[in-house]
Amino acid sequence: MASDLIQLILPLVIVLLLARPMGLYLDAVFEGGRIGPMRVLRPVEQLIYRSTGVRPEDEMTWATYTGAFLAFNALGFGVLFLVLRLQGLLPLNPGGIAGMSSEVAFNTAASFVTNTNWQAYSGETGVSYLSQMLGLTWQNFVSAAGGLAIAVALIRGLTRRQCGGIGSFWVDLTRSWLYVLVPGAIALALVLMSQGVVQTLLPSASATTLEGATQVIARGPAASQVAIKMLGTNGGGFFNANSAHPFENPTPFSNLMQTLAMLVIPVGMTYYFGRRAGNVRQGWVILSAMVVLFCLGLGITYVNELAGNPLLVAAGVSRVDDSGQLVGNMEGKEVRFGVAPTAFFANSTTAVSCGAVNGSQSSQMPLSGGVSLLNIALGEVIFGGVGAGMYGILIFAILAVFIAGLMVGRTPEYLGKKIGPRDMKMVMLAVLALEAGILVIAGIGVLTPSVLDARLSTGPHGLTEVLYAATSAVGNNGSAFAGLNAAVPWLAVVLGLGMLIGRYLFIIPVMAIAGSMSCKRIMAPSSGTFSTDGTIFIILLVGVIVVVGALTFFPVIALGPVLEHLQMLAAASS
């Protein structure tokens, strides 16, 4: 029990201690500082601008910035789709893997371009080395960099005192991957290689088992892919078992490093936000709300996983090991990790919108699975993906301020800028696009025979499989209740469309808000100004996220994880 608490508390403490230094580094990157890797890589940045014709000093309006972002993503989608379709004809394919079908290639291209990294294919048998490196790994970098750029643009819009644009997308994109993601991924890849994560271009190896059978062991350039999948909160595994595979995540230390990697940039963004707002308490408030929601989910997940399955207890199966310690629910978990690190990883990957897993999400206890589902459905606001978590929770912060303004009868303000009707329309459009997308796709799915046939389970767990797939796709998470066969053509196409909806129909309103707020005059605080840098606002923000996010999905979650939990308890007591 004591070791479990250490494994639950230590990663969170470490990442919170990294918030300030990471935030300072991000501030230097996006506001023209000259520290660390920036001095060495500045000539590379300037070369990129000269060769592409980008003028770093030219700022964009929100519409131009958004147009550049969408055009870049459309180009990336087209290139990746062609690479996946034609990989059977391209080099660096020692396994002779054929090109993907149109439906799965569409799903995969949409997945990686939107930073979702949902995988409707098996990692070691579905894509070639070239597709992994040129297609998927490249998108891991630029999709994360794009999300980071959008968050930076929104922060500029909220905090700038002069009207003059919200920055340059091409500059923010370049600085995101050149100064943040590439150095971090290289360092992490070296650490992972030291722990035994494979990195090779050699084909699969063959081994003879003790019984005399031949076993084919997949390998490849995994460390480089794993590093950016975690740091960029992408989540797509090189191997089908993702971070539960010993070639991706062989030791408890590699597991800790992967956990920290997916949390550090989202946490650092909160301090960067406080710096730009001119009041670091604003950043700490956002971070505190994230931590409260994270710890609530982690507590529920750990308690349920440690308690284990009551049906096994009723059947006389012991829950303790030889030393008298509680074993808990070990189904779907790696013995080298155990309950606590797996619970922390599962809660992190769904809260951060990473999608990587070091155990089976479907094998969690029902309420634990419900927490993972709800973490995604809340809208990438509990830390969230790189960039996406920051602009997601800022949307809820604006909504919370608007509600507070209604309660006290004043025009709502955030960071001294008045929030108008157009801003609120954009806020609600972003929130409704996510929630409606999830519920509509899940609703159509449970009425479609091919989707119902693709489930591994029936009853409440089968409903959760379909709902989780829709939530993971539209929420741009990428993890799955693995029993659902996502390669079914109808499902692959619809989930791909859901990923595009969840990414772009959320980002466009976010950028409209950035443009609207950027030219508003900052008002001096008065006696009637609602404070957004104290405990009351933390409580209000958490409450708004829970009410708007959680209660929207409560009916369907009650029919899935909650009903499954109640059925399990009833069966155990009978």
Side-chain angles (χ1 to χ4, degrees):
M1 188 69 173
S3 63
D4 278 3
L5 291 177
I6 292 173
Q7 293 176 92
L8 293 173
I9 295 172
L10 181 62
L12 187 59
V13 170
I14 293 174
V15 80
L16 292 178
L17 291 174
L18 292 173
R20 185 176 185 274
M22 189 70 211
L24 289 172
Y25 182 72
L26 292 171
D27 188 65
V29 167
F30 294 111
E31 307 306 324
R34 294 179 178 276
I35 60 174
M38 300 185 67
R39 295 175 180 172
V40 177
L41 296 174
R42 183 71 72 185
V44 178
E45 181 188 2
Q46 298 301 325
L47 177 62
I48 292 172
Y49 297 152
R50 286 196 299 270
S51 61
T52 57
V54 172
R55 291 169 53 90
E57 64 276 10
D58 292 346
E59 298 214 348
M60 298 177 172
T61 65
W62 79 267
T64 306
Y65 197 108
T66 308
F69 170 80
L70 294 176
F72 181 76
N73 279 252
L75 177 62
F77 176 90
V79 171
L80 180 55
F81 179 83
L82 290 176
V83 168
L84 295 172
R85 287 284 287 147
L86 300 174
Q87 66 181 359
L89 304 176
L90 297 174
L92 286 178
N93 186 8
I97 298 172
M100 287 185 178
S101 67
S102 297
E103 297 85 2
V104 176
F106 170 80
N107 180 282
T108 306
S111 177
F112 279 78
V113 168
T114 60
N115 203 241
T116 305
N117 298 71
W118 171 275
Q119 294 177 283
Y121 61 91
S122 175
E124 53 265 65
T125 61
V127 288
S128 67
Y129 290 174
L130 181 71
S131 296
Q132 288 275 14
M133 295 185 294
L134 177 64
L136 305 186
T137 302
W138 167 249
Q139 279 302 324
N140 281 349
F141 279 99
V142 296
S143 64
L148 196 54
I150 294 295
V152 169
L154 177 60
I155 291 172
R156 289 198 189 109
L158 291 173
T159 60
R160 281 196 168 175
R161 297 178 177 270
Q162 294 180 342
C163 183
I166 54 174
S168 168
F169 170 72
W170 305 116
V171 172
D172 292 338
L173 178 76
T174 300
R175 290 179 176 175
S176 293
W177 68 261
L178 182 62
Y179 295 130
V180 179
L181 297 174
V182 168
I186 290 174
L188 181 58
L190 292 174
V191 172
L192 295 177
M193 289 167 64
S194 74
Q195 295 298 297
V197 179
V198 296
Q199 181 73 15
T200 179
L201 293 178
L202 295 174
S204 299
S206 295
T208 302
T209 67
L210 294 176
E211 293 81 9
T214 300
Q215 180 180 359
V216 177
I217 302 174
R219 53 184 177 176
S224 55
Q225 171 87 357
V226 173
I228 188 56
K229 91 168 185 182
M230 304 307 300
L231 190 66
T233 61
N234 300 282
F238 188 93
F239 299 102
N240 192 48
N242 207 281
S243 287
H245 197 291
F247 284 1
E248 280 199 29
N249 192 8
T251 68
F253 183 72
S254 70
N255 187 72
L256 174 63
M257 293 303 297
Q258 291 187 33
T259 304
L260 297 177
M262 63 175 148
L263 291 166
V264 64
I265 296 177
V267 168
M269 283 296 293
T270 62
Y271 191 83
Y272 166 68
F273 168 67
R275 290 266 298 183
R276 290 298 94 207
N279 179 3
V280 293
R281 285 173 59 88
Q282 296 286 352
W284 293 132
V285 163
I286 296 295
L287 180 58
S288 297
M290 292 176 170
V291 170
V292 168
L293 292 167
F294 181 85
C295 290
L296 286 174
L298 178 60
I300 295 172
T301 300
Y302 173 68
V303 167
N304 277 272
E305 295 305 302
L306 185 65
N309 192 330
L311 290 173
L312 296 179
V313 178
V317 179
S318 175
R319 289 188 299 163
V320 298
D321 59 20
D322 293 339
S323 64
Q325 296 294 316
L326 281 173
V327 175
N329 173 35
M330 282 300 294
E331 179 188 338
K333 296 178 176 62
E334 290 299 307
V335 294
R336 65 184 184 277
F337 302 140
V339 169
T342 306
F344 194 98
F345 200 105
N347 194 63
S348 299
T349 196
T350 50
V352 177
S353 191
C354 178
V357 293
N358 71 348
S360 171
Q361 300 292 88
S362 187
S363 293
Q364 294 181 108
M365 301 304 295
L367 293 185
S368 302
V371 168
S372 295
L373 178 63
L374 193 56
N375 282 343
I376 308 170
L378 289 177
E380 292 191 315
V381 298
I382 311 174
F383 301 132
V386 167
M390 196 66 221
Y391 64 68
I393 200 165
L394 286 176
I395 291 298
F396 277 99
I398 294 172
L399 179 57
V401 169
F402 177 76
I403 293 173
L406 292 179
M407 289 190 290
V408 299
R410 285 180 54 89
T411 301
E413 300 174 7
Y414 189 50
L415 302 181
K417 295 187 176 185
K418 291 188 179 296
I419 300 170
R422 181 177 180 272
D423 301 318
M424 287 312 304
K425 290 176 183 177
M426 293 299 103
V427 166
M428 294 314 301
L429 180 59
V431 173
L432 291 174
L434 177 68
E435 296 181 348
I438 292 171
L439 294 175
V440 168
I441 290 177
I444 295 174
V446 297
L447 297 175
T448 305
S450 61
V451 176
L452 296 178
D453 292 340
R455 297 171 304 165
L456 178 65
S457 306
T458 58
H461 197 84
L463 172 62
T464 305
E465 288 179 7
V466 178
L467 177 62
Y468 197 104
T471 305
S472 184
V474 180
N476 298 144
N477 180 264
S479 63
F481 264 41
L484 188 71
N485 178 14
V488 171
W490 185 93
L491 196 58
V493 172
V494 171
L495 290 180
L497 292 173
M499 298 169 203
L500 300 176
I501 291 170
R503 181 74 161 181
Y504 303 116
L505 289 191
F506 197 97
I507 281 177
I508 292 172
V510 165
M511 294 303 295
I513 294 169
S516 171
M517 299 292 282
S518 64
C519 288
K520 292 185 178 182
R521 185 165 60 94
I522 295 179
M523 311 293 291
S526 68
S527 58
T529 300
F530 180 74
S531 175
T532 58
D533 62 356
T535 305
I536 293 177
F537 188 67
I538 296 173
I539 297 171
L540 178 63
L541 180 55
V542 170
V544 168
I545 292 171
V546 171
V547 170
V548 175
L551 293 186
T552 302
F553 298 95
F554 180 76
V556 69
I557 289 178
L559 294 173
V562 174
L563 180 57
E564 184 182 359
H565 177 74
L566 294 175
Q567 288 180 337
M568 180 181 66
L569 294 180
S573 62
S574 63

